[in-house]
Amino acid sequence: MKALVYHGPGHRSLEDRAKPDLRAAGDAIVKITKTTICGTDLHILRGDVPTCAPGRTLGHEGVGVVDTTGTGVTAFRPGDRVLISCISACGKCAYCRRGMYSHCTTGGWILGHTIDGTQAEYVRIPHADTSLYPIPPRADEEGLVMLSDILPTGFECGVLNGKVEPGATVAIVGAGPIGLAALLTAQFYSPGDLIVIDLDDKRLDVARRLGATHTINSSDGRAAEKVRTLTADRGVDTAIEAVGVPATFLLCEDLVAPGGTIANIGVHGAKVDLHLERLWSANITITTRLVDTVTTPMLLKTVHSRKLDPARLITHRFRLDEILDAYKTFEHATSTGALKVIIEA
Amino acid sequence: MKALVYHGPGHRSLEDRAKPDLRAAGDAIVKITKTTICGTDLHILRGDVPTCAPGRTLGHEGVGVVDTTGTGVTAFRPGDRVLISCISACGKCAYCRRGMYSHCTTGGWILGHTIDGTQAEYVRIPHADTSLYPIPPRADEEGLVMLSDILPTGFECGVLNGKVEPGATVAIVGAGPIGLAALLTAQFYSPGDLIVIDLDDKRLDVARRLGATHTINSSDGRAAEKVRTLTADRGVDTAIEAVGVPATFLLCEDLVAPGGTIANIGVHGAKVDLHLERLWSANITITTRLVDTVTTPMLLKTVHSRKLDPARLITHRFRLDEILDAYKTFEHATSTGALKVIIEA
Amino acid sequence: MKALVYHGPGHRSLEDRAKPDLRAAGDAIVKITKTTICGTDLHILRGDVPTCAPGRTLGHEGVGVVDTTGTGVTAFRPGDRVLISCISACGKCAYCRRGMYSHCTTGGWILGHTIDGTQAEYVRIPHADTSLYPIPPRADEEGLVMLSDILPTGFECGVLNGKVEPGATVAIVGAGPIGLAALLTAQFYSPGDLIVIDLDDKRLDVARRLGATHTINSSDGRAAEKVRTLTADRGVDTAIEAVGVPATFLLCEDLVAPGGTIANIGVHGAKVDLHLERLWSANITITTRLVDTVTTPMLLKTVHSRKLDPARLITHRFRLDEILDAYKTFEHATSTGALKVIIEA
Amino acid sequence: MKALVYHGPGHRSLEDRAKPDLRAAGDAIVKITKTTICGTDLHILRGDVPTCAPGRTLGHEGVGVVDTTGTGVTAFRPGDRVLISCISACGKCAYCRRGMYSHCTTGGWILGHTIDGTQAEYVRIPHADTSLYPIPPRADEEGLVMLSDILPTGFECGVLNGKVEPGATVAIVGAGPIGLAALLTAQFYSPGDLIVIDLDDKRLDVARRLGATHTINSSDGRAAEKVRTLTADRGVDTAIEAVGVPATFLLCEDLVAPGGTIANIGVHGAKVDLHLERLWSANITITTRLVDTVTTPMLLKTVHSRKLDPARLITHRFRLDEILDAYKTFEHATSTGALKVIIEA
């Protein structure tokens, strides 16, 4: 079968690999119908993720059809159309029982990381019963690819951890795909002002189309000041960090109102300064989270009832044999305007 | 009347001051019967609190008897025995309605800070109806002085924000009065391991008497390692920071388990390093809080039902005319073993 | 001044009464600009509320302008435009501190009940600081009358107690003004199916216009069966009872799914059968609540940010001297199609 | 092997049955070391549980040693000492993912009910990975039998659903084993007054030894009145129903304070009167629940840290070949003083 394989920093290729086999009673083999590329894949290709070894098939998102199942799998049968979660969860360990699938002792984020992933014709899914979700009849499969990772990430790490409430003021720092996923799902809770901050005017245009009530280009260094003006000098109830660098986290520290929350989504590569000399008395909460995908059933219901249209995040479409082009388009998002690219296998 | 007055960094004196007058309809004048000294008073005397101007009568804790009340006061009458909250709350503003009395727009921590305080024979209490609490008949007044500040601080900022649960593992970093207040009130929720960490063996002895299941002297720099050993390499569910310096906050970052909480109580004078490059995916929560004293009614009930004995924090007793000795005893806690000192007015 | 006065069961008249005076430091006198009639006013007129004595000016809803204030009032001044809460709250008692304003020991529902109310040119508001809300500039005053009672009632007793969630299935039994208020505010949380059940097809038409995804006329006794069909035999996550008779509560018992909630809003005059022989193992929650109006600030924000348009509940308008006509229109809602009627004072 | 078999209302016998076999990949066969009898077993023998067919081996509690495991079992191996949960949970279905194991679509309460149970030398446990719990080294196995059902039931249905809080007032109606399990676990949260109500003075003596602060014999019909006196006419924050008949539920309706909770544990055979004509405005919550045993890991921690001593509920011990005597002792609890009887297999 064809697979996109990582060969160390800067190197990748689309090549022929053996179709995966079942290895444990709980495994399923899934034939991929659609997959996509994540910012994390780019991190791997830059060499930022040393736990991902050369030779690995990349990809942790996708939808497909169950091909074969192990003897312990009871929830799925060959032929079932399934959504693949980016997080594999055994459903049994202490973390899984608390809903912290991200820290599953035999799972977590392993697909396209420590085991072969979804940018291929077939993928082996461990713990299939608790890592796959049935695709409802008549669902738009393409849109559901957004539920593998990006929408639960924006929702769980940003919106739920950020405790977004009706009428509240929310700032989302970063209008990339993850920030926009937070923007879409924040609207489940009818916040009042929904401010999106980024350096790229084109992404801010998208944010306005997707529901932002205000957008701020932070390139002049005056974003915090502008938010103060918008909020009568109070700050925001929820600040969602969707970039992952010190400057954007610091901006969130400046934006958050007393009693508010900073919900971090960004993948950080360096420590940040936490200004406790100012914040110790501000009654704030800071949260971090690797997505658990425990809200996938809820998100599927919101898609089904048309409260959420995940396909709005899709900008480009490719075939699997064009995946190197897809990577280029995604890597040069500033010029291509790419948000999420669909790859049809 | 006699009052302990701050005269700029390093200077204080016990002197005669005019008895305070009612200034607003919601004010009450309270005759102090017992007060105490807080670590914050020492901060003021070191010049660390520029918002406290020279000439200020210090003190924000105490019990007393209502002397006179303004025309708007309905909950108290002259002669009522009352507990004074360290936080004045109007009960009307947006923050008060959310239970964030600490950020009351016309109150908060003002006693012995921006208005004259309780280390005197009389004190004026603004917003008396929502800043005083009736002392139940037969209550131990001396113990109740601990409910002005230290016990709600340990409980709200440490235990409640830290979400202490039955069977959970809790570390309290700092065995000073505030850390011990967290230690006493954490036991309301029956945690399993209750680990107290400090540099002072004498304070650790006190911690064991007050309920710590394990104590660790961190002077060898191996506290994190020892906690890892105690917790099968998992870390603690709740890490309570009760010191207020970068090293102790960093220790909490090292101690907290995935899914756990760092509840900050310490008053910080400098920023700290937040290691998001490691913690972004750890599903942790960090909280800060200036005590709101919204749990004072609950704490009064726990004292009444003997679930909490606040007097265990009292080590020394003085008369108001000995208050300069009381300060010396409190300042030299390492040698005197002082935790909280009672001053009888 | 003119006032609508209750004179015992079946008797009311619009008559001249003395303008009210300040009686306590916390009182304000408010000149009414707009008021309305509530189903509870009809209950009083039918003699169902013995705690309301003849001679009482009715009405507990309205907006107006502050005329005079007592010496203890600090949040409002003469000339301020205000929203009057149907619940008076001292903000000081144990219930108020818990956010249970409905059970305030010196307030609660007293307006137009145990003290004179708002269907008059002027009204005395006790505990003005915590029972009035400032009307924002440029707000639609007429719509805000709906925030005195009906919208917080639908929201607090129905939607919040009912824990409505994104994608969830909600049934509202009763499409009168209160049921419709629950319908409007349930949409803050983006439920999936939002089913409204009533006996009156015209009200069901309104429900569809206001956001119901399904409506069921229950006159054939098959509502429960139809909901089972809609929900794949599972039942609803939230059943909101907005009528107040045994049959509708029983219907909610039949509708609720395992793990679901029955949120009662209805004012009941008789006991109901609770089928614990079936429900003891169904992991359900039943809640009751007299509205606390603690969410008024949140609702004001949702109106300001156009997430809620309260004026959609208004069907008729009258002048105060036409209030007897307004009562007739409201009493004969089936034929007049009246939901809420505005009375301009 | 020996097994206690139900043969229709009034009939049971200890007889030889075939040792159970593995039937599904997720099954385990457990050799029972200790089991016990539950009030539900008596209900079955009285014919109150028609879903339990004659020929069934009874029993849903116990500890033992894993004998064999199916190919899908990963968490346990032969030789492991295990606690058997009374609730079997697949860990995969929508209910299990919400922590509602009691409503697992292929599990729930099936042991000793719809499949053979634990009052035997061996038992087959479906969904073993999520229905068994490892017994820690050095744990008291006998005490852990109380964690199969009775302690999670009292804790989840009574204490957690009842939202017991520090300093709060709690009434437990019924001092049988389940009521006493609620009594023991309520103390995790340090309530103030902990009132136990029963008709049997001997059980009330036990309740006082196990931590009740007040006991009331309700045989004179004055229990509600006495609770009113104890609570200054306010009622209790939490009323736990641990009997299951209309009279005791009605007593809870009389006891509960405004804002309080009635947490039902009792297994009811008939409907009850819910006095909504009085309670509609009382801001109360009523909960029902079949135990989910989701707190078993937490309870194991509280046993390990000596916050809970489950063995205090054990009054008698028998061998498996004496199980008919054990039943008699348990059935005649009033004369024998039996709470829980241990049966050694």
Side-chain angles (χ1 to χ4, degrees), chain A residues 60-217:
Chain A
H60 50 267
E61 301 165 275
V63 297
V65 178
V66 173
D67 183 64
T68 51
T69 56
T71 56
V73 175
T74 61
F76 297 98
R77 286 189 298 194
D80 286 351
R81 296 160 70 230
V82 290
L83 165 66
I84 300 167
S85 174
C86 68
I87 296 294
S88 304
C90 74
K92 307 168 182 179
C93 70
Y95 286 118
C96 281
R97 282 165 187 263
R98 292 168 59 187
M100 275 177 65
Y101 296 172
S102 58
H103 287 69
C104 173
T105 53
T106 58
W109 173 43
I110 55 176
L111 280 182
H113 176 204
T114 58
I115 67 172
D116 285 334
T118 59
Q119 293 170 6
E121 292 179 67
Y122 291 89
V123 65
R124 181 179 67 90
I125 303 293
H127 306 312
D129 277 341
T130 35
S131 306
L132 297 174
Y133 293 84
I135 293 187
R138 289 181 303 282
D140 165 31
E141 284 199 11
E142 203 172 81
L144 292 191
V145 176
M146 306 297 109
L147 264 69
S148 285
D149 177 346
I150 190 169
L151 280 164
T153 297
F155 184 51
E156 296 177 6
C157 309
V159 176
L160 289 185
N161 274 13
K163 297 186 283 278
V164 174
E165 287 199 338
T169 301
V170 176
I172 298 172
V173 180
I178 285 287
L180 296 173
L183 173 63
L184 286 177
T185 53
Q187 294 171 68
F188 289 160
Y189 296 98
S190 308
D193 290 336
L194 195 37
I195 306 162
V196 175
I197 301 170
D198 200 291
L199 295 165
D200 179 340
D201 280 332
K202 280 191 287 188
R203 290 200 153 176
L204 293 174
D205 286 345
V206 177
R208 274 193 301 276
R209 283 202 302 276
L210 297 186
T213 61
H214 304 79
T215 55
I216 296 175
N217 188 312

Side-chain angles (χ1 to χ4, degrees), chain B residues 25 71 74 92 97 129-130 133, chain C residues 71 74 92 97 129-130 133:
Chain B
T71 56
T74 61
K92 306 168 183 181
R97 282 165 188 262
D129 277 342
T130 34
Y133 293 84
Chain C
T71 56
T74 60
K92 308 167 181 180
R97 282 165 187 262
D129 277 342
T130 34
Y133 293 84

Side-chain angles (χ1 to χ4, degrees), chain C residues 4-251:
Chain C
L4 191 283
V5 181
Y6 169 63
H7 287 296
H11 301 287
R12 64 199 157 196
S13 64
L14 182 65
E15 55 194 65
D16 278 313
R17 298 289 288 259
K19 184 181 156 187
D21 293 320
L22 296 169
R23 295 192 194 172
D27 285 357
I29 305 298
V30 175
K31 182 174 189 335
I32 296 292
T33 53
K34 290 182 170 64
T35 182
T36 184
I37 304 171
C38 181
T40 308
D41 297 322
L42 304 186
H43 276 292
I44 293 172
L45 284 165
R46 284 198 291 266
D48 293 346
V49 185
T51 43
C52 183
R56 180 68 59 234
T57 299
L58 295 183
H60 51 266
E61 301 166 275
V63 297
V65 178
V66 174
D67 184 65
T68 51
T69 57
T71 56
V73 175
T74 60
F76 297 98
R77 285 190 297 194
D80 285 352
R81 295 160 69 230
V82 289
L83 165 66
I84 299 167
S85 174
C86 68
I87 296 294
S88 303
C90 75
K92 308 167 181 180
C93 71
Y95 286 117
C96 281
R97 282 165 187 262
R98 290 170 60 187
M100 275 177 64
Y101 295 173
S102 58
H103 287 71
C104 173
T105 53
T106 59
W109 174 42
I110 55 176
L111 280 182
H113 176 206
T114 59
I115 67 172
D116 285 334
T118 58
Q119 292 170 6
E121 291 180 67
Y122 291 90
V123 65
R124 180 178 68 90
I125 303 294
H127 307 311
D129 277 342
T130 34
S131 306
L132 297 174
Y133 293 84
I135 293 185
R138 289 181 303 282
D140 165 30
E141 284 199 10
E142 204 172 81
L144 292 190
V145 176
M146 306 298 108
L147 265 68
S148 285
D149 177 346
I150 189 168
L151 281 165
T153 296
F155 184 50
E156 296 177 5
C157 308
V159 176
L160 289 184
N161 275 14
K163 297 186 282 283
V164 174
E165 287 198 335
T169 301
V170 177
I172 299 174
V173 181
I178 285 289
L180 296 173
L183 173 63
L184 286 177
T185 54
Q187 295 170 66
F188 289 161
Y189 296 99
S190 308
D193 290 335
L194 194 37
I195 306 162
V196 176
I197 301 170
D198 200 290
L199 295 164
D200 179 341
D201 280 332
K202 280 191 286 189
R203 290 201 153 175
L204 293 175
D205 286 346
V206 177
R208 275 192 300 275
R209 283 202 303 277
L210 296 186
T213 61
H214 304 79
T215 55
I216 297 174
N217 188 312
S218 53
S219 52
D220 62 2
R222 294 180 48 216
E225 184 188 325
K226 289 172 183 173
V227 170
R228 292 277 153 191
T229 303
L230 275 174
T231 60
D233 213 37
R234 208 183 62 86
V236 301
D237 300 303
T238 302
I240 297 178
E241 207 283 352
V243 179
V245 300
T248 47
F249 194 88
L250 279 169
L251 179 56

